[in-house]
Amino acid sequence: MIPASFGFGGLKMLVFLPVLAYFAVKVFLKEIRYNKDAVYVILLAVIIIIFKMALGQSYISEAVQLLITPMLIAMSFETLTGKELNLLRRVMIGFFIVECGLSIVEWTLNRAFFLNPNLPNEFLDWFAISGFFRSTSLLGHPLANAQVVAVFMTFIAISDFKKKYVQIFLFFLGYLSLFCFNARGATLVITAFVAPYFIWKVNRTTPQNRKWIIKLGVFCVVLGIGYMVTQTSFGGRLMNMELMDSSGQTRLEVWDFYRHYDRQENFIWGHPGNYLFMMDKLGAAGVENGVVCLILDWGIVFTIPVLLLLFRFQYHRLSVFSKFDKWLLLAVFYIIGFMNPNLAAPLQWTLWIYAYYVFRPQALLPQTETVFSIEIDE
């Protein structure tokens, strides 16, 4: 979203060219490990592109970004050496720190540095009038940032870091940023499901002689955040507004979208004009549901296999984690995705894949390579 904030939104497709080039080189060198789940998603994308072209709709860009590119990235990452994966960890953990740190700076200064120009004016005006500021950080929209941070926090929570203080720092840095984004759904999901598990796991895996330090540190952080949330404006919408306000009501009313179709085939096969049409019919600034957004674009016929195959891909990838950790990761991603349009956003799927390979257990790495010092330790 940073290029878009400077007026270079048209370059979106160009950023995927290095991925395609890297994948092509790996194929030429015969180093690609073809994954059945990823291949199925790519084949479905090709079918959708052909079918949409037959309907007179151009969905090449959408299919490449949402379905093809994430799968090519995943298959390419399977070939990374320990040294290359070490670099990936440094870059992505750096990204997470900058993402969260920038949100805190923006909230402190009450200023967004990389605002998405596509945000509706109603969105900005409403929060200006209400007195709530929402950080937009690197990705241009509070909800997009919040889901990415929540997913990374969940991976951090289930991982076993050699240096516990680094793990605690990263987790609570992400937690602070969720309040800066004023994302109630993501904050509640993390608070209810991930934070208790994280605190329990850190306590369980910390050596006995250091537990008092960890407990004291966690207690101070929780106490500090609790005070800021309840006694200052840091709590934002979570503490200063009803949970079922107009925004919450919009998320319920969006399920009536099927009543507003003017043509049945638009529901069955989707149409690029459905989103704006449905926004107008619902009287909302956006369609606040990822599944509904997919149905509007791809149609009910293609949305079902798209979600099933993407879920299958994630489910099988996460088999390297325990059953509880696997379902926790899936629950966080999909529960938050159902609360906003993010399931239809290619960035969310792509960054999920990056997070997976950054925090995947070390047992799967080549044993001859040196690993970054803050990486997970299995």
Side-chain angles (χ1 to χ4, degrees):
M1 290 302 176
I2 294 178
S5 67
F6 290 106
F8 297 105
L11 300 178
K12 188 189 302 183
M13 277 295 292
L14 294 180
V15 302
F16 295 103
L17 292 180
V19 175
L20 299 176
Y22 180 83
F23 183 81
V25 170
K26 289 293 184 178
V27 170
F28 178 77
L29 297 175
K30 298 181 179 180
E31 295 179 357
I32 287 295
R33 302 173 188 173
Y34 293 99
N35 175 267
K36 182 170 61 175
D37 296 324
V39 171
Y40 286 161
V41 173
I42 293 174
L43 289 176
L44 176 61
V46 173
I47 292 172
I48 292 175
I49 290 173
I50 294 174
F51 195 90
K52 286 287 192 177
M53 290 179 65
L55 294 176
Q57 303 173 12
S58 176
Y59 269 68
I60 297 177
S61 174
E62 289 80 358
V64 168
Q65 293 178 60
L66 180 67
L67 302 175
I68 297 178
T69 300
M71 298 302 106
L72 297 185
I73 291 174
M75 288 190 285
S76 298
F77 281 180
E78 286 291 336
T79 68
L80 294 180
T81 64
K83 186 176 295 185
E84 291 170 335
L85 197 53
N86 183 27
L87 176 61
L88 178 66
R89 280 199 189 88
R90 292 176 181 270
V91 172
M92 293 312 297
I93 290 176
F95 162 79
F96 179 79
I97 293 173
V98 172
E99 163 81 354
C100 297
L102 181 60
S103 71
I104 296 171
V105 171
E106 286 182 332
W107 186 87
T108 303
L109 299 178
N110 203 42
R111 174 192 173 189
F113 290 96
F114 304 112
L115 188 63
N116 184 349
N118 296 321
L119 279 176
N121 292 328
E122 295 85 349
F123 177 93
L124 303 174
D125 294 341
W126 189 89
F127 282 101
I129 295 172
S130 302
F132 295 109
F133 176 81
R134 303 183 75 175
S135 299
T136 56
S137 197
L138 297 176
L139 305 183
H141 193 291
L143 299 181
N145 286 282
Q147 177 150 354
V148 168
V149 169
V151 167
F152 269 78
M153 287 175 65
T154 309
F155 274 105
I156 290 169
I158 69 172
S159 301
D160 294 319
F161 280 59
K162 290 181 178 179
K163 298 180 180 179
K164 297 299 178 185
Y165 66 87
V166 174
Q167 186 177 16
I168 294 172
F169 167 75
L170 291 175
F171 184 84
F172 283 104
L173 178 67
Y175 202 58
L176 281 172
S177 73
L178 290 181
F179 288 98
C180 295
F181 298 131
N182 256 317
R184 288 179 300 178
T187 305
L188 290 173
V189 169
I190 293 296
T191 302
F193 299 112
V194 183
Y197 176 65
F198 171 69
I199 294 173
W200 171 82
K201 186 169 183 178
V202 167
N203 181 66
R204 183 179 65 85
T205 57
T206 301
Q208 191 65 36
N209 62 337
R210 295 184 179 180
K211 280 191 175 183
W212 71 271
I213 302 177
I214 299 298
K215 289 180 180 179
L216 179 62
V218 171
F219 175 77
C220 292
V221 171
V222 171
L223 196 65
I225 292 178
Y227 174 81
M228 294 175 65
V229 168
T230 57
Q231 302 300 320
T232 72
S233 61
F234 194 64
R237 297 189 303 156
L238 192 63
M239 300 300 297
N240 295 285
M241 294 178 61
E242 297 179 359
L243 288 179
M244 191 48 65
D245 57 6
S246 59
S247 178
Q249 192 65 35
T250 299
R251 285 168 168 78
L252 293 179
E253 293 174 351
V254 72
W255 288 106
D256 290 331
F257 75 99
Y258 63 91
R259 301 176 184 271
H260 302 293
Y261 277 102
D262 56 346
R263 300 173 61 187
Q264 186 178 12
E265 54 265 34
N266 285 348
F267 171 73
I268 297 174
W269 305 114
H271 189 278
N274 277 346
Y275 187 89
L276 293 178
F277 174 80
M278 205 58 65
M279 276 178 54
D280 180 64
K281 291 296 182 180
L282 293 172
V287 180
E288 299 290 342
N289 187 285
V291 175
V292 173
C293 288
L294 286 171
I295 294 174
L296 294 176
D297 278 339
W298 305 92
I300 189 67
V301 171
F302 289 125
T303 294
I304 293 174
V306 163
L307 285 177
L308 286 177
L309 288 180
L310 288 174
F311 179 85
R312 174 190 169 99
F313 170 83
Q314 291 178 314
Y315 182 85
H316 287 163
R317 277 291 192 277
L318 293 175
S319 295
V320 297
F321 296 98
S322 70
K323 182 178 293 187
F324 180 86
D325 291 348
K326 173 169 65 177
W327 283 106
L328 181 64
L329 286 163
L330 291 171
V332 168
F333 183 80
Y334 284 97
I335 291 175
I336 297 176
F338 286 150
M339 297 177 182
N340 51 55
N342 287 339
L343 285 183
L347 184 68
Q348 298 296 330
W349 299 93
T350 301
L351 288 179
W352 187 94
I353 290 172
Y354 274 85
Y356 166 77
Y357 282 97
V358 166
F359 295 104
R360 187 172 63 165
Q362 292 301 316
L364 300 179
L365 290 181
Q367 298 301 310
T368 58
E369 300 287 354
T370 303
V371 186
F372 186 32
S373 60
I374 72 167
E375 94 293 344
I376 50 180
D377 176 30
E378 289 294 324

